[in-house]
């Protein structure tokens, strides 16, 4: 029996990111939307280009000044390489000032 393209895609998506990072930022009051705008404009695509998969981002409804997001990697070796490339690229790039984190 052969797998259909849909079955292969579902299997691939389940295995895409065995390594997941949960990132939680608590910001000064009223700064969450500014950080989310900056994150969407400056950090989603730049991470995906180096192999980091953004799995989701969330506004914590119980804490108005918290932003939560997840990113994933195929393995720890890929994680280290992707983060090194991403960090090097960001350190050489001028970006808008981040909202002050606590």
């Amino acid at each position: 029996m052969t797998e259909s393209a849909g079955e292969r895609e579902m299997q691939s998506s389940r295995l895409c990111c065995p390594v997941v990072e949960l990132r939680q930022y608590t910001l000064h009051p009223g700064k969450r939307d500014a950080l989310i705008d900056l994150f969407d404009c400056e950090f989603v695509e730049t991470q995906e280009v180096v192999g980091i998969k953004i799995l989701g981002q969330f506004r914590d409804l119980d804490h108005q000044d918290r932003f939560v997001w997840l990113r994933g990697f195929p393995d720890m070796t890929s994680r280290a390489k992707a983060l090194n490339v991403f960090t090097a690229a960001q350190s050489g790039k001028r970006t808008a000032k981040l909202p002050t984190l606590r």
Side-chain angles (χ1 to χ4, degrees):
M1 182 187 322
T2 62
E3 287 183 306
S4 70
E7 289 170 326
R8 281 191 304 275
E9 184 177 323
M10 189 160 53
Q11 177 73 10
S12 173
S13 67
R14 275 187 283 184
L15 299 176
C16 94
C17 303
V19 176
V20 174
E21 286 185 357
L22 168 68
R23 313 281 300 182
Q24 296 185 76
Y25 299 138
T26 300
L27 301 121
H28 287 288
K31 300 295 184 180
R32 180 171 67 184
D33 288 338
L35 176 65
I36 291 171
D37 289 344
L38 180 65
F39 182 84
D40 288 341
C41 291
E42 298 290 335
F43 296 108
V44 172
E45 186 176 329
T46 55
Q47 290 185 76
E48 289 176 344
V49 164
V50 299
I52 300 170
K53 181 149 178 78
I54 304 302
L55 302 174
Q57 53 179 286
F58 313 92
R59 287 174 167 85
D60 186 330
L61 299 178
D62 294 327
H63 300 93
Q64 295 299 312
D65 298 315
R66 184 171 296 155
F67 173 58
V68 179
W69 61 285
L70 302 166
R71 66 182 171 192
F73 307 87
D75 53 57
M76 291 301 286
T77 302
S78 298
R79 177 186 174 274
K81 288 178 184 176
L83 290 177
N84 284 335
V85 172
F86 174 72
T87 302
Q90 290 304 309
S91 67
K93 178 179 169 184
R94 294 181 63 101
T95 60
K97 186 177 179 189
L98 288 171
T100 306
L101 303 176
R102 282 191 195 169

